[in-house]
Amino acid sequence: MSNPARDGDSKPPRALPELSMKEFSQLADHETLDGYRKYFNQIVGFFVVEDHILHTTQGLVNRAYIDELWEMALSKTIAALRTHSSYCSDPGLVLDLKNLIVLFADTLQGYGFPVNQLFDMLLEVQEQYSETLLKKWAGLFRNILDSDNYSPIPVGNEDVYKKIVGQFPFQDAELEKQPFPKKFPFSEFVPKVYSQIKEFIYACLKFSEDLHLSSTEVDDMIRKSTNLLLTRTLSNCLQNVIKRKNVGLTELVQIIINTTHLEKSCKFLEEFITNITNVLPETVHTTKLYGTTTFKDARHAAEEEIYTNLNQKIDQFLQLADYDWMAPEPGGRASDYLVDLIGFLRSTFAVFTHLPGKVAQTACMSACKHLSTSLLQLLLEAEVRQLTLGALHQFNLDVEECEQFARSGPVPGFQGDTLQLAFIDLRQWELLESIRKSEKIFTVVGVIKGMTKINKI
């Protein structure tokens, strides 16, 4: 009687793969290692027995028979793992599954079975693992940003100070000299976000263990995943905070300060990865971290939002303007709404103390130009067909209030009367007095012609 194990034209039995696939089809419905473990145990048990038979008997099975059976079982196993591992949304489960697959592969490799395809497949699982990590960290970042008070961290004693600088690489000789209590310039989300980035890097490292990868491959894997965390996950979270409707100027200012410090910390993240992988960042083909780009983009978005926010606040105050363009006499002082508006701008720019100089200056100039343009629009709007000399004097008092604000230097760094030039168009109406006739009432058309004439001088 012929032995199927020795007959070259006989096909290996398919009972094991079919049974295994039937068991494996149930794994998609529940995320648990038990099903995977049972599946792998079946295969390992079968091939360990086959290997034992091969080495302890003669003629029952041969190597070609076992190799063909292993190739078929391996192919179906990898296909099943690709399909069903995609259902895992928990990074912890994906990591445990990877460890189980490594144990499965190492065990069978010890019996002489080729397992390179399993390790290649694990690199695909790594991408899925990275995605599950990104989703998890998106939630962590959202919680951190939503719970932050966007105020500098107060420090009451040396222990608290050391704890913060232990979490986040920050050095400031002037701050160190100050007595307690004192404040860090950034809010709590800075050390928390920085710590979570490091935790993400550790989580990436865990997957690379026991995969027989070179240091360069591990370094590349970690850096690519971390770049996704920075440029996609963290960037989106920061942009969402900046763009939400209820964000205030104080929060935007603090976000700019925070992202400035996080940008400076990127070199320490580079060092952190280098210390883990022992691959120098100067090495050829080493992937660079894009953290600086992420934080710069967030900072620029916050700056633009500040300019927009300031203009919207100015518009709200201007809605309270109620000029009597036919008033016979001026009120004797600047309008109440404008005094309140100037007070708001003073207190707002006082908060800009820790902002980069260029940002504070741009915000101040932008606000003054917007105020000037809006006031001029009030004067020239269609409804105002006539105005008295008394109304123009009242308007002049408001312009003088604006100019006084500009002269007071609300933001340091402006040269000469640079900031006052924002109100130059408003000042032109006063020059009209030197060319006006004896009328007490001006037509708006006349004012416009007068300004046009002055513009040509």
Side-chain angles (χ1 to χ4, degrees):
M1 182 179 294
S2 65
N3 188 336
R6 292 194 296 268
D7 291 347
D9 60 346
S10 298
K11 295 183 179 180
R14 299 178 180 271
L16 172 71
E18 289 175 359
L19 174 62
S20 299
M21 289 298 292
K22 182 179 179 181
E23 295 284 347
F24 206 86
S25 65
Q26 301 172 4
L27 299 181
D29 299 326
H30 56 284
E31 292 194 350
T32 172
L33 280 182
D34 293 339
Y36 293 105
R37 191 176 288 111
K38 181 179 180 181
Y39 177 71
F40 290 138
N41 286 343
Q42 283 183 326
I43 298 178
V44 169
F46 179 87
F47 282 101
V48 167
V49 170
E50 291 296 313
D51 184 78
H52 181 74
I53 294 173
L54 174 67
H55 289 91
T56 58
T57 64
Q58 291 185 348
L60 290 180
V61 295
N62 59 35
R63 172 52 67 181
Y65 162 80
I66 295 178
D67 287 347
E68 187 176 354
L69 187 59
W70 168 244
E71 184 178 344
M72 180 177 62
L74 180 62
S75 175
K76 290 199 173 187
T77 297
I78 289 175
L81 284 170
R82 280 198 180 110
T83 300
H84 295 287
S85 65
S86 64
Y87 291 97
C88 298
S89 58
D90 176 15
L93 178 63
V94 179
L95 183 62
D96 289 340
L97 175 59
K98 164 255 169 181
N99 291 331
L100 198 60
I101 295 173
V102 169
L103 182 61
F104 170 71
D106 287 346
T107 300
L108 286 169
Q109 189 176 39
Y111 285 91
F113 295 100
V115 295
N116 288 341
Q117 292 182 54
L118 279 172
F119 283 102
D120 291 341
M121 188 270 298
L122 279 174
L123 296 181
E124 299 175 22
V125 176
Q126 187 275 331
E127 294 181 6
Q128 180 200 342
Y129 175 70
S130 179
E131 287 299 320
T132 61
L133 286 180
L134 292 173
K135 289 179 181 177
K136 178 180 178 180
W137 257 259
L140 292 172
F141 285 145
R142 280 195 299 268
N143 290 338
I144 290 172
L145 296 176
D146 289 345
S147 63
D148 197 69
N149 61 7
Y150 294 92
S151 299
I153 302 174
V155 187
N157 55 62
E158 187 70 24
D159 291 339
V160 176
Y161 188 90
K162 289 182 178 179
K163 180 182 178 182
I164 299 298
V165 296
Q167 293 175 330
F168 181 73
F170 176 78
Q171 290 183 335
D172 188 324
E174 291 299 321
L175 184 62
E176 289 180 7
K177 294 177 183 178
Q178 294 177 17
F180 294 102
K182 51 189 174 185
K183 294 181 179 179
F184 284 100
F186 46 80
S187 69
E188 290 185 355
F189 96 54
V190 169
K192 287 181 178 179
V193 165
Y194 184 82
S195 296
Q196 284 302 328
I197 295 174
K198 291 173 65 177
E199 288 298 321
F200 179 88
I201 293 171
Y202 276 130
C204 292
L205 178 65
K206 286 181 180 179
F207 194 93
S208 67
E209 294 173 351
D210 303 318
L211 291 186
H212 313 301
L213 299 173
S214 67
S215 296
T216 303
E217 288 173 317
V218 172
D219 184 85
D220 187 63
M221 180 187 295
I222 291 175
R223 288 175 179 273
K224 285 181 177 178
S225 295
T226 304
N227 274 334
L228 285 175
L229 179 78
L230 294 171
T231 60
R232 192 175 77 186
T233 308
L234 180 55
S235 177
N236 287 342
C237 290
L238 288 170
Q239 294 291 342
N240 288 338
V241 170
I242 292 168
K243 297 296 183 181
R244 64 188 180 192
K245 292 183 179 180
N246 61 340
V247 67
L249 285 168
T250 303
E251 288 88 346
L252 290 170
V253 168
Q254 192 61 60
I255 288 172
I256 291 175
I257 295 169
N258 287 356
T259 50
T260 299
H261 286 286
L262 283 169
E263 180 186 344
K264 293 177 181 178
S265 74
C266 286
K267 63 178 182 179
F268 296 101
L269 289 175
E270 290 271 11
E271 293 176 4
F272 180 68
I273 295 176
T274 298
N275 291 335
I276 289 176
T277 63
N278 293 319
V279 177
L280 297 176
E282 296 80 15
T283 305
V284 180
H285 304 310
T286 298
T287 303
K288 304 299 180 184
L289 288 186
Y290 301 140
T292 54
T293 302
T294 296
F295 299 125
K296 279 182 180 178
D297 289 346
R299 186 166 66 253
H300 292 158
E303 290 169 7
E304 290 299 324
E305 202 65 24
I306 281 180
Y307 308 148
T308 302
N309 197 311
L310 266 176
N311 289 349
Q312 289 175 347
K313 291 288 185 182
I314 291 172
D315 290 342
Q316 290 174 10
F317 278 100
L318 288 170
Q319 289 176 0
L320 303 176
D322 187 22
Y323 288 104
D324 180 3
W325 298 115
M326 299 304 293
E329 298 292 337
R333 65 187 186 90
S335 303
D336 290 341
Y337 87 91
L338 192 76
V339 173
D340 292 340
L341 170 54
I342 296 299
F344 162 76
L345 292 177
R346 287 188 189 280
S347 61
T348 297
F349 292 131
V351 181
F352 287 13
T353 307
H354 298 292
L355 280 179
K358 185 179 178 181
V359 177
Q361 291 169 21
T362 302
C364 188
M365 177 60 79
S366 172
C368 288
K369 284 184 176 180
H370 183 72
L371 175 57
S372 175
T373 302
S374 299
L375 284 173
L376 187 58
Q377 194 61 40
L378 282 178
L379 182 66
L380 303 179
E381 62 186 6
E383 291 79 7
V384 183
R385 298 181 182 278
Q386 292 182 322
L387 59 162
T388 64
L389 188 58
L392 285 176
H393 275 301
Q394 179 60 50
F395 195 77
N396 179 50
L397 290 173
D398 291 348
V399 175
E400 288 179 347
E401 185 75 13
C402 294
E403 291 175 328
Q404 174 56 36
F405 168 71
R407 281 194 298 271
S408 68
V411 169
F414 285 108
Q415 295 182 350
D417 59 354
T418 302
L419 190 57
Q420 291 173 248
L421 293 177
F423 299 100
I424 188 66
D425 288 340
L426 282 174
R427 176 47 52 210
Q428 291 177 350
W429 80 265
E430 187 179 23
L431 297 177
L432 289 174
E433 293 189 48
S434 64
I435 60 171
R436 73 181 188 279
K437 299 179 181 178
S438 59
E439 299 100 294
K440 298 296 183 182
I441 298 178
F442 300 86
T443 65
V444 174
V445 174
V447 173
I448 294 175
K449 287 181 178 179
M451 287 185 174
T452 302
K453 181 178 179 180
I454 294 167
N455 283 333
K456 293 179 180 178
I457 294 177

